[in-house]
Amino acid sequence: MSQPVLEARAVSKHFPVRTGTGRTAVVRAVEDADLVLRPGRIVALVGESGSGKTTLARLLARFYPPTTGEIRLRGEPVQGKDRAYYRDVQLIFQDPFGSLNPLHRVRYNLDRALRLHHGIRAKAERERRMVELLERVSLTPAEQYLDKFPHELSGGQRQRVVIARALAVEPKVLLGDEPISMLDVSIRLEMLNLLDKLRTEDGLALLYITHDIASARYLCDDIVVMYAGRMVEGGPKEDVIAAPQHPYTKLLIESSPDPERGLDDRDALFDEAADDLGEPPSLIDPPAGCQFHPRCPFALDVCRTEVPPRTELPNGQWTHCWLHQEGRAGDLTAAGAARSTEKENS
Amino acid sequence: MRASRRWAFLVRRLGFYLAAAAAAVALNFLLPRLMPGDPSSAIVEELERVSGQQVPAETLMSIRAIFGNPSDNLAEQFVDYLRQLGHFDLGVSVVNFPVPVADLVWQALPWTLLLVGTTTVAAFAIGTLLGVVAGWKAGSRFDALLTPFTTFLSSVPYFWVALLALWVFGFVLGWTPLSGGYDADLPQGFSFAYAVSVLHHGALPAATIIISAFGGWLLGMRNMTVTTVREDYVLLAQAKGLSPGRVMLRYAARNAMLPSFTGFAMALGGVVGGALLTEIVFSYPGIGYLLYEALQKRDYPMMQGVFLLITLAVLLANLVADLAYVVLDPRIRARG
Amino acid sequence: MITDSALAPVSSATGAGTTVLDVRGLTVDYVTGDAPVRACDDVSFTLRRGEILGVAGESGSGKSTLITALTRLQRPPAVTTEGSIEFHPKNGAEPIDLVGLTPAELRSLRWTSLAIVLQSAMDALNPVMRVGAQFVDALRSHDKRLGRKEAWAKAAELLGMVGISADRVRSYPHELSGGMRQRASIALALACGPELVVMDEPTTAVDVVMQRQILAQVLRLRRELGFSVVFVTHDLSLLLELADRIAIMYAGRIVEIGTSAALYADPLHPYTRGLRDSFPPLRSPLRKLTGIPGTPPDLRNPPPGCPFHPRCADRFEGCDQEQPTLLTIAGHAVACRLHPSGDDRP
Amino acid sequence: PQAAKAVGDTIVHGKTDGGTTFVRNYNVLGPATDKAPNMELVYEPLLRIDYGDGAVVKPWLAESWTFGEGGKLLTVKLRDDVKFSDGKPFTVDDALYSLTLPLEKPDFSIAGITYKSVTKVDDRQLAIRFAEPAYATLTQFANILLPMVPKHVWSTQNLNTWTNPEPVGTGPFTLAEFKPQQITLKARDDYWGGKLPMSTYKIIPTSPDALKAQLLKGEVDWASNSWANGEKEYVAKDPDKHLYQLYSNGGAMSVLFNTAKAPFDDVHVRRALALTIDRTAVVTTLQRPGTEAGPTGLSDQLFADWLDPQYKGKVQKVDADAAKAELAAGGYTVEQGALVKDGKRYQPSILFNSDWSWGNYADILINTWKQTLGLEVKGAGQPSAGYYDKQNLGQFDLVAASTGGAGVYGVYNFLSSSYRQPLGKSATLNQGRWSDPQTDQVIAQMQRTDNVDQLKTLGKQLQQIVVDKVPFSPIYNNYYFVEINATRWTGWPTPENFDHIPFVGMGPDTILTLLKLQRRGN
Amino acid sequence: MRASLLTSWKVRFGLGVLGLFVLLAIFGPWINRVLLGVDPRANDIGAIASPPSTAHLLGTTQFGQDVLAQTIAGARGSMLVGVLAAGIGTLIAIAVGVPAGYFGGSVDNALNFLTNLFLVMPVLPLILIVAGYVQGTGMWVIALIIGLFGWSGGARTLRAQALSLSSRDFVLAMRMLGEPHRRLIFCEVLPHLSGWISAMFLHGMIGGVLAEAGLAFLGISDSGSISWGTMIQSAQQQSAVLRGFWWWFVPPGLCIALIGTAATLVNFGVDELSNPKLRLARRSVVARTRRAPRPATAGGETR
Ligand SMILES: Nc1ncnc2c1ncn2[C@@H]1O[C@H](COP(=O)(O)OP(=O)(O)OP(=O)(O)O)[C@@H](O)[C@H]1O
Ligand SMILES: Nc1ncnc2c1ncn2[C@@H]1O[C@H](COP(=O)(O)OP(=O)(O)OP(=O)(O)O)[C@@H](O)[C@H]1O
Ligand SMILES: [Mg+2]
Ligand SMILES: [Mg+2]
Ligand code: NI
């Protein structure tokens, strides 16, 4: 496996906030997270809203320094000027409507990127590079797009411009924070295909953040699941989806719409979800032990007090769950396997 | 949790107003000292003008003993100043020497409170109410006529409206008195005739302040209502089949009103300033007229006293507006 | 009245009921600028008692417009220019055309017969009123004899129905979590026992896990109370699991209506097929998916003929001229010139 | 508003210059500029000035006086029938106290006193000493700012904080009730000057505009305020009862030249400018026709006996040719709106008090100068404070200022070079920095005599100097304005025939007016 | 965008009136001199306080000065103060509000406190006091004082806007490219505030004109120059109101009101543009939807 380009090692991010009583508290947005991005590989980060995905991406993009832990670029802890760092790492935002300044033409965006990072003086040269960039993101004929304003472009086209702008820097790592969730359903796949192309053609390392586990499976190589600021499980995508090793991953996969499950007995399909699991925990005052224990059907006593350590599985999968430490992983897989075999047979 | 949040908000606001009051006091202290000239010299000049003679050195000394010596250490002066304020001692009026400024201010305060206080509240109420209706029926003929008209009203200088009103109602029609707070030939006191007289004198100034002030509230409220009416919860309230009046008041207006209270701070200073000018037109015996006279006669201690009082009163009114806000808005967001 | 069996359900999970709603040729314009925008064009369908009709379509396809027109809640500049919405009351009284009703007449129908759940519960609940009070408001305005005490008790009971504890009636909306608010607004919709509940993307703002729980509750309540649902979303994969029948909207028109199973297994319209294939599978083997090329049309400037033809891989001569009508083929209606003749054309 | 309700034996005075409220401050000797109104009805001075008689000094609380030691010693004999309102008699000790107070407390010296010491001679006489002959400055004892106060009350108080809320004086009234918007004075029945026809004197604050309405309605009997066009708007409506009177106060509104500054040190320039002031236009817009000032600044009405006959009734009309001739004589030309001499350009400005809205009158002067001489004078309006500052410091070219005083000496003595200060140093008198040996000599002579004939001769010499050398140029005469609604009270003096001016705030004259009134119809 | 701004009658009317007054301010003296041939300061002693007539279209003052000429001349004085004050106030508001919102943190805390402080201070009395101290100064000082104390409302708005803008994705995205803060503020944030800034400027201008009039009315202004405020003050001092010389004080007041109305209307239009909900509440829109064809209510008809 290739060397990691970008790594997060045991990073945490705590945001100080003012609570109602006027005292300051901290939001533990990310707690003790590890992440490795390698050239030519795509890691998907899934988790529900507020689980800290964006925070982690922004930590990797050096929007703010981690509270603890460190970010390493090519094995070196990062320091110094942001601009040098941004030559290697670029972030793509969720909202293609928001990440382009409506007052600037496409040309301006690309031009600034080229000037800032490559210092190209010659106008013709920059022009050539811009056209090239737009062609790489399949905006053709490129010349026609250069002088458009964002509002003259559709959502998909805008997101392509955003990607082109990020690519202008010639980064090694691309962080995509839900890059398709605001796009129309019908054009999402094109965007995923574009990202996939960039990965294979340019050997970019990609972080793909999403809510949608199905699209994660479509695009990525590895999946990492976050819950309430912590990473609960990760590993090769098919393994994680076929055999989730954490109760939360299991719940997430089961809750995702999947028409293939069969449409015959609809009520039965939903029935298992009917029992109320409650809400995700507050990050200001997270539950002790495993964050998931209040909602976990398998919760043990130890789950309520101790943070579960990492369990590595032979297939590269890993999880933070006491079931594994206590030798009761079977509880989980038994139920999961039963279901998935059932599916395969049908 | 909920209660504590509100308290926290209030405590924070109270802290802010205390800081603002402190700043106002400091400003009040510094203003005359930053400006060219100083109160002592001013009083000396006044004396020279009256007596037509140069003031002897001894006189100068004794005046400085009263009004502070500009060559004294600033910190010491400030301590003295604070000590004086602690006793509600705003100094001595120059032109009315040796009458304390505080006495004069006390004397004028009730009139201003009566006039400005009631009209500000009335203008706010009327403006808000009409604004809700205009916003609710946005695009209707009512709105199309009322809104530009109030735009006009809100742009007219207070004193000009006052002048016009005085001319039409006081002079041409003779319905209202031309000046003063009550009929001079009535004994001042708690009698019916006196009360009627006070109302008779106050009606026109009050009306002009209301006319000049309500437009601003109306326009703000109208736009807020228009925006609020498009909120989902108003749509849902209509979907629930509630009566239009109920939807308008409990759902749209109730929410649209909240920013008005935050905007109160911005507008209040202007309204008070305008009302002060109105007092001058009507020779109304309030704080505004006092300030006018102080300005005319360069009575610095008086100017300072009046300004301090106005500022503190406005701060207090803002605090009240914030209190109202706390009562009205269950979500107290963290705000500066 | 012509009974158009194609537009009626073939089979329903809860047993075929009588018609609740009969929408014919509903057309809605937004009167802005010079030319009106036709956001709902000649929409017709029938809804059976107890049925869940899903409406799917991309952003801007007119789903919300349809919903507000159905409930007669549209505001300027939206105008219903044509069509009828016949509501059949439960007691077998004469059907009522909602389009012709005065606001006062409508008011008596609202909530007792016709309720709505809006997309974002955060915005749909009045932030300065206690949750219970918003129930009481609705309850007491439709039942004048109901006492204040009883109304509050009823509110608590309704909240309990969706799994919110009774002590929450006195909370303000901002004190509830997103999922709770969403459930509260569903409970609110059911307060007066409506025959029809219209839901506009009621779960897009919550997570998949919570979404599953909420939908399970909706299904359970429908089973118990027997109301019908028009459920609008852009997530076809969810509808395929949830709805009895699905209508696909494109550019303000319904391009296909059929049962979920039929639509999944055998979509007739190229757009439906494209839409279905825009959702990568969760379990079955991955293959490269392409979505639908191009972008949805701008309704201010719709293409001539079939609005989908510029993006359609199967378009042929005439698609760009002739507007196809919705025709029924084997209990499954489609508006596409690939399927020129219905088997029971009226 | 109901006039009928006012009690028959009350007289109502509408006060227009006291703001909207009164302040209960009867510390009459204190340095405040705004005190309780009509204090002259409570506190009286020793002497009075008789404007009906060329502004000569007449006795009041003093029965008589004599000068000795060449005018440096003044012996005053007090009346013996005067009682304070608390029943105590007015004694020489009270007078001694009152006159000594400004000497001992200089900050209470507000009347412009010039005496150096006061001593008691006997039970009825005081000896007052001066450094210079004081014939001409006797008027200071007629100043209502130097009244007689009761020693037994005042000497026990801290005068720096005391507001004297219950004033005790020798005057005809006592304070009955003080409301910020209404003061009621009660007539004494033991007043030395006689019994007043009214029992109550009421003072109400009002604005000039409101006053007009109140006068028309008869709510106010008496007021002192100018009413432009009052003849038409008021008198004409009921000539019998509506009285609007103007009494010359011996002063005038003048243009003062800064003679310490070129080119106004040149008499030709001063003359040229004085010749081209459109006085008629100014009084026309003032709506006071016929009040143009003569070249001497002494009004015909008041100084009939003192005025050099050649100046009587003379008003300088605009005379462009003469003015141009003057400029030429001085060697000046006007180029591009500026005065030019010897290659130097002078662009004069005229300072005026914007609080008096004098800007519009300044405009008239400026326009005329521009039309006749081509000279562009800039208007430099200043509100009172800045106006007096600049004026006193000599920071002006021309200034529109009030001139005048009691008697010929009173009008002209400010021209004495003893008051002169260098530019930039504050001068409260002689702001024009006039310095002329001849003027000084005549003024000095006037100070040394109380011989009326000699004073008249000297006065004529001064008139000559003013007309010829033009240290200042009068524009229009100033007046005491009196408005009366004689519905309830008659017996008012008229400008044609008066021995006291019915102006409120004139001290003894006010009292005399009140004493002579009668209830109408009774 | 520009086109849609002009579709509103309010904006068109407002800009028209403002433009007219700007022209008047610029060419006023020329109009007086050349077109009317009247000097606003000239005294026509033959026509004192005369009502409007053919000789004096708007009548004359107590001093025989032509009211029309004065009103025209006053435009310059009033507008000058208004524009200067607005300019100064707007600059301060930008300098305080934008960094506060953009940088946040302790910069924000300090600047925001300052803003809130000035916000709750009664500004007019403060201006009065300060102007009272520096009595008798020119229009520039008056404008400076008005501007110096009248920025807080604008700064508050700009802060809020800058705050939300600075966390907008496009600003973050440009930061990700390595753009320096200076450029982010000037090229990314500020252009978006131009609508607000122009609205603030207009608001400040009305405020300036009104405040100048108020100061002049109190006699604290440059009495040497003609402004609408000094005209009203002059009229007030001559009791024009009670002598019925309405033509003297009505025109200047009306001009102030007109400018104020115009500026408010323009701001209204800008508001409508930035808040589409307001645009939908326009009369034209409502009228058009009302006029749109009603659907056939007959239930039996289908297609
Ligand atoms: N600047 C901040 N200050 C305080 N709290 C923050 C801040 N940024 C994020 N948080 C909190 O940190 C938590 C994680 O937020 P984050 O945006 O990373 O979640 P997410 O997984 O990206 O969610 P989503 O799917 O909704 O985008 C949330 O509870 C959020 O409220
Ligand atoms: N107020 C309006 N004025 C003009 N056009 C409008 C207005 N509201 C909606 N439209 C247009 O009507 C069309 C349909 O909008 P609608 O909101 O019904 O879409 P939708 O299917 O609900 O989309 P989404 O999934 O984004 O909610 C869109 O093309 C939109 O541009
Ligand atoms: Mg996120
Ligand atoms: Mg929608
Ligand atoms: Ni305003």
Side-chain angles (χ1 to χ4, degrees), chain A residues 48-49 154 184-187 189-190 193 211 213-215 217-218 237-238 241 251-261 263 266-267 269-271 273-279 295 343, chain C residues 13 58-59 163 177 180 183 207-210 212-213 215-216 219 223 234 237 240-244 264 277-284 286-296 311:
Chain A
E48 61 188 272
S49 193
S154 73
D184 267 326
V185 178
S186 63
I187 54 182
L189 281 168
E190 291 181 53
N193 291 340
H211 273 123
I213 204 155
S215 78
R217 173 171 181 254
Y218 181 77
K237 60 178 175 186
E238 297 295 353
I241 289 175
L251 179 67
L252 191 64
I253 292 168
E254 277 168 8
S255 302
S256 298
D258 180 11
E260 294 169 7
R261 267 185 287 203
L263 304 168
R266 204 149 19 85
D267 288 335
L269 249 180
F270 281 89
D271 265 356
D275 38 335
D276 195 345
L277 294 177
E279 312 278 331
R295 298 172 82 185
K343 290 283 126 59
Chain C
E58 292 180 78
S59 188
S177 73
M180 280 163 111
R183 281 185 279 171
D207 284 298
V208 276
V209 177
M210 182 59 65
R212 198 105 193 142
Q213 286 175 22
L215 294 182
L219 284 174
R223 219 165 27 213
H234 57 257
S237 63
L240 287 171
E241 286 193 334
L242 178 76
D244 298 313
Y264 179 61
D277 292 342
S278 294
F279 293 90
L282 192 55
R283 290 167 211 278
S284 61
L286 283 174
R287 59 189 169 91
K288 187 158 166 134
L289 299 172
T290 50
I292 308 170
T295 50
R311 303 172 75 188

Side-chain angles (χ1 to χ4, degrees), chain C residues 60-83:
Chain C
S61 56
K63 306 183 297 291
S64 298
T65 309
L66 172 63
I67 289 271
T68 47
L70 276 187
T71 45
R72 294 271 331 263
L73 283 171
Q74 84 260 52
R75 294 215 179 91
V79 207
T80 304
T81 48
E82 251 174 81

Side-chain angles (χ1 to χ4, degrees), chain B residues 111 182 186-196 198, chain D residues 177 179 182:
Chain B
W111 295 98
Y182 66 99
L186 280 174
Q188 195 171 359
F190 291 99
S191 67
F192 179 72
Y194 177 68
V196 167
V198 166
Chain D
E177 192 181 31
K179 290 277 165 62
Q182 181 177 346

Side-chain angles (χ1 to χ4, degrees), chain D residues 175-359:
Chain D
L175 179 63
E177 192 181 31
F178 192 102
K179 290 277 165 62
Q181 294 175 60
Q182 181 177 346
I183 298 174
T184 315
L185 301 180
K186 259 203 121 42
R188 288 168 62 178
D189 40 21
D190 55 348
Y191 179 56
W192 62 271
K195 173 128 180 59
L196 287 149
M198 67 284 300
S199 67
T200 321
Y201 182 94
K202 210 178 225 184
I203 314 158
I204 58 169
T206 181
S207 65
D209 290 337
L211 174 71
K212 295 174 185 173
Q214 286 164 326
L215 279 167
L216 284 165
K217 286 192 213 153
E219 290 170 19
V220 164
D221 298 304
W222 189 18
S224 320
N225 185 54
S226 91
W227 187 333
N229 212 14
E231 288 295 332
K232 237 201 238 130
E233 291 171 16
Y234 182 58
V235 180
K237 298 205 167 134
D238 187 351
D240 203 25
K241 293 183 183 134
H242 291 183
L243 311 180
Y244 177 53
Q245 307 174 338
L246 273 63
Y247 295 89
S248 167
N249 68 4
M253 194 56 154
S254 306
V255 171
L256 226 61
F257 299 98
N258 191 341
T259 56
K261 251 180 161 178
F264 306 104
D265 52 355
D266 190 324
V267 67
H268 297 290
V269 174
R270 298 198 296 268
R271 278 192 201 141
L273 291 181
L275 281 167
T276 45
I277 292 173
D278 193 345
R279 296 174 175 79
T280 311
V282 175
V283 297
T284 312
T285 57
L286 265 176
Q287 306 206 328
R288 265 185 238 160
T291 61
E292 295 97 329
T296 62
L298 302 176
S299 79
D300 289 11
Q301 184 190 25
L302 199 60
F303 294 101
D305 300 344
W306 296 72
L307 206 55
D308 193 329
Q310 61 170 319
Y311 304 128
K312 250 183 208 167
K314 185 181 169 196
V315 171
Q316 180 64 52
K317 296 279 173 219
V318 175
D319 188 345
D321 296 335
K324 281 180 187 148
E326 285 291 348
L327 284 184
Y332 288 87
T333 52
V334 176
E335 286 168 25
Q336 289 163 336
L339 276 173
V340 177
K341 182 182 181 178
D342 301 336
K344 280 214 177 107
R345 285 174 58 87
Y346 303 100
Q347 186 91 60
S349 66
I350 178 165
L351 175 69
F352 57 87
N353 187 334
S354 53
D355 286 353
W356 304 336
S357 64
W358 219 82

Side-chain angles (χ1 to χ4, degrees), chain B residues 17-228:
Chain B
Y17 284 116
L18 283 181
V25 168
L27 185 72
N28 207 39
F29 169 78
L30 281 176
L31 262 185
R33 286 159 176 89
L34 289 177
M35 293 297 159
D38 60 283
S40 327
S41 315
I43 196 171
V44 170
E45 281 161 28
E46 286 285 345
L47 288 179
E48 284 177 346
R49 203 175 314 146
V50 172
S51 61
Q53 277 199 338
Q54 202 134 11
V55 171
E58 307 98 286
T59 318
L60 203 66
M61 297 297 290
S62 70
I63 290 171
R64 290 210 162 139
I66 301 168
F67 291 104
N69 188 347
S71 58
D72 274 356
N73 174 314
L74 208 64
E76 271 172 41
Q77 284 191 50
F78 190 54
V79 172
D80 285 348
Y81 178 79
L82 288 183
R83 193 172 305 132
Q84 281 197 331
L85 275 191
H87 300 103
F88 196 64
D89 181 355
L90 300 174
V92 176
S93 161
V94 170
V95 293
N96 293 301
F97 180 86
V99 179
V101 169
D103 287 7
L104 298 171
V105 168
W106 269 144
Q107 194 173 298
L109 191 62
W111 295 98
T112 298
L113 280 185
L114 185 78
L115 184 66
V116 180
T118 52
T119 51
T120 308
V121 172
F124 181 71
I126 294 174
T128 305
L129 210 74
L130 287 179
V132 167
V133 177
W136 183 253
K137 303 197 164 192
S140 68
R141 191 149 294 144
F142 175 76
D143 178 41
L145 288 179
L146 188 69
T147 307
F149 179 65
T150 30
T151 311
F152 177 79
L153 277 188
S154 69
S155 323
V156 180
Y158 280 69
F159 58 87
W160 190 66
V161 177
L163 284 177
L164 282 184
L166 191 63
W167 175 48
V168 174
F169 297 103
F171 185 73
V172 177
L173 299 175
W175 290 351
T176 55
L178 295 171
S179 76
Y182 66 99
D183 277 322
D185 45 6
L186 280 174
Q188 195 171 359
F190 291 99
S191 67
F192 179 72
Y194 177 68
V196 167
S197 173
V198 166
L199 286 181
H200 188 214
H201 280 73
L204 196 59
T208 64
I209 296 176
I210 292 175
I211 283 178
S212 317
F214 87 95
W217 302 119
L218 184 146
L219 295 179
M221 195 62 195
R222 175 201 177 263
N223 283 2
M224 266 324 292
T225 307
V226 167
T227 312
T228 310

Side-chain angles (χ1 to χ4, degrees), chain D residues 260-515:
Chain D
K261 251 180 161 178
F264 306 104
D265 52 355
D266 190 324
V267 67
H268 297 290
V269 174
R270 298 198 296 268
R271 278 192 201 141
L273 291 181
L275 281 167
T276 45
I277 292 173
D278 193 345
R279 296 174 175 79
T280 311
V282 175
V283 297
T284 312
T285 57
L286 265 176
Q287 306 206 328
R288 265 185 238 160
T291 61
E292 295 97 329
T296 62
L298 302 176
S299 79
D300 289 11
Q301 184 190 25
L302 199 60
F303 294 101
D305 300 344
W306 296 72
L307 206 55
D308 193 329
Q310 61 170 319
Y311 304 128
K312 250 183 208 167
K314 185 181 169 196
V315 171
Q316 180 64 52
K317 296 279 173 219
V318 175
D319 188 345
D321 296 335
K324 281 180 187 148
E326 285 291 348
L327 284 184
Y332 288 87
T333 52
V334 176
E335 286 168 25
Q336 289 163 336
L339 276 173
V340 177
K341 182 182 181 178
D342 301 336
K344 280 214 177 107
R345 285 174 58 87
Y346 303 100
Q347 186 91 60
S349 66
I350 178 165
L351 175 69
F352 57 87
N353 187 334
S354 53
D355 286 353
W356 304 336
S357 64
W358 219 82
N360 294 301
Y361 305 109
D363 279 351
I364 297 179
L365 303 192
I366 292 169
N367 287 337
T368 325
W369 284 324
K370 184 160 181 217
Q371 279 157 21
T372 53
L373 304 177
L375 180 62
E376 280 175 25
V377 178
K378 283 210 189 65
Q382 286 282 322
S384 294
Y387 166 79
Y388 288 113
D389 279 353
K390 286 200 173 338
Q391 195 183 339
N392 293 355
L393 294 172
Q395 294 167 345
F396 64 93
D397 296 331
L398 307 165
V399 61
S402 233
T403 51
V408 177
Y409 173 83
V411 173
Y412 289 140
N413 80 335
F414 79 98
L415 292 174
S416 161
S417 67
S418 62
Y419 301 122
R420 192 172 187 255
Q421 295 285 348
L423 290 178
K425 205 156 176 296
S426 183
T428 46
L429 289 174
N430 198 359
Q431 291 99 337
R433 272 80 180 158
W434 180 247
S435 173
D436 174 48
Q438 200 189 345
T439 313
D440 286 347
Q441 191 204 333
V442 181
I443 288 175
Q445 278 177 295
M446 285 181 98
Q447 284 168 347
R448 291 196 175 81
T449 180
D450 58 354
N451 179 312
V452 173
D453 289 336
Q454 197 186 346
L455 283 173
K456 280 186 176 162
T457 317
L458 289 168
K460 282 178 186 144
Q461 286 173 21
L462 272 180
Q463 292 168 31
Q464 183 85 43
I465 292 173
V466 168
V467 174
D468 285 351
K469 300 189 176 173
V470 205
F472 66 97
S473 178
I475 307 171
Y476 56 84
N477 292 323
N478 277 338
Y479 290 88
Y480 292 117
F481 302 96
V482 179
E483 287 127 331
I484 293 158
N485 185 318
T487 308
R488 282 179 287 195
W489 299 94
T490 59
W492 301 89
T494 62
E496 293 74 40
N497 176 22
F498 67 96
D499 50 16
H500 52 270
I501 298 179
F503 184 78
V504 188
M506 288 280 287
D509 278 26
T510 315
I511 297 172
L512 286 173
T513 307
L514 288 173
L515 281 168

